[in-house]
Amino acid sequence: MNHDRVHAREPSHHVDRWTVGVVESMGERDGHCVVTVRPVAPEGEAGDEPAEDADRGEPVELTLTLAVRDLFVSRLPIDDGESPIGERVWYRKRGG
């Protein structure tokens, strides 16, 4: 299975390959983490309005390993035990 990619901080490499989004939900399915992200315009470009070139703001489901989920959530600017819902992330859909 190909897993999708997600960063808690803005990537410094291949910036044009990443889409900015906001976490809408997180759950588990078949031993993997499923994160639903809504694409938004990058900061400084109309705030959190849906991005025109990112499927018009339609939610995207990302499939991650549980280890990647733990790593990216630990890097978000939230307190331990706080929900990542509503946090800004950078992602790449790879398919499966």
Side-chain angles (χ1 to χ4, degrees), residues 21-91:
V22 173
V23 177
E24 287 195 335
S25 67
M26 288 182 69
E28 289 186 29
R29 184 184 319 138
D30 300 326
H32 291 85
C33 175
V34 178
V35 180
T36 303
V37 178
R38 181 168 302 273
V40 296
E43 249 179 82
E45 292 182 19
D48 285 342
E49 296 301 317
E52 302 251 344
D53 62 345
D55 297 330
R56 290 172 262 219
E58 293 297 317
V60 176
E61 238 184 40
L62 306 173
T63 303
L64 313 171
T65 64
L66 298 177
V68 168
R69 175 205 58 195
D70 294 344
L71 179 63
F72 111 82
V73 169
S74 74
R75 292 181 174 177
L76 288 170
I78 58 177
D79 293 327
D80 288 341
E82 194 174 358
S83 172
I85 307 303
E87 292 295 319
R88 179 180 295 268
V89 296
W90 288 258
Y91 69 92

Side-chain angles (χ1 to χ4, degrees), residues 4-22:
D4 301 312
R5 308 278 308 270
V6 66
H7 282 296
R9 300 179 189 134
E10 185 173 6
S12 59
H13 58 286
H14 304 291
V15 178
D16 57 321
R17 294 185 185 177
W18 297 88
T19 303
V20 181
V22 173

